[in-house]
Amino acid sequence: MLSQIIIPARLASTRLPRKLLLAETGKPLIQHTYEAASRAKKPHGVIVAADCEEIAAVVRQFGGQVELTSPLCASGTDRVAEVARRTPGVDLFVNVQGDEPEISAAAIDLAVELLERN
């Protein structure tokens, strides 16, 4: 089965606006999350589902794959679904939250493995 990670990214976070672009460590938060998710071995790749060009430009700048989503998406799940509909041939989509820079690649691989078996 082919799997793909999609990271929904919203600029106007409710609790901390623009948090995905904060770069207190020298890299934006979205880049840390993207790099952590990219360490998973099972998924075919990582796509950021961005709600605006500003986030998309940052992702492109560090070499990440990004797709813009409709401003009408009400949630990250809606952004993931929109990109999933435009991604043919993928059997499983893994939603990794953009503010999870310490996500374990092993945890992602385990989730994919469990979904593949069940």
Side-chain angles (χ1 to χ4, degrees):
M1 295 184 94
L2 188 63
S3 59
Q4 179 81 42
I5 296 169
I6 300 179
I7 302 172
R10 179 172 169 233
L11 189 63
S13 171
T14 306
R15 291 181 295 272
L16 181 58
R18 305 178 61 79
K19 73 178 169 183
L20 295 181
L21 300 182
L22 294 177
E24 303 302 316
T25 63
K27 293 180 189 178
L29 178 58
I30 189 66
Q31 183 175 354
H32 284 290
T33 302
Y34 189 97
E35 290 172 353
S38 295
R39 289 192 271 284
K41 292 179 174 60
K42 287 194 144 302
H44 177 68
V46 179
I47 300 171
V48 173
D51 75 339
C52 67
E53 183 56 43
E54 190 173 358
I55 289 176
V58 168
V59 173
R60 286 187 207 106
Q61 189 174 32
F62 66 73
Q65 185 176 351
V66 63
E67 291 193 28
L68 285 169
T69 59
S70 168
L72 300 176
C73 288
S75 70
T77 301
D78 294 328
R79 275 182 280 290
V80 170
E82 182 178 321
V83 172
R85 284 191 295 274
R86 299 190 306 228
T87 310
V90 176
D91 303 296
L92 300 169
F93 291 95
V94 180
N95 178 345
V96 172
Q97 296 303 296
D99 60 355
E100 290 288 338
E102 295 181 359
I103 190 152
S104 160
I108 293 170
D109 286 334
L110 179 59
V112 170
E113 185 179 320
L114 289 171
L115 289 167
E116 288 174 341
R117 280 193 272 154
N118 296 298

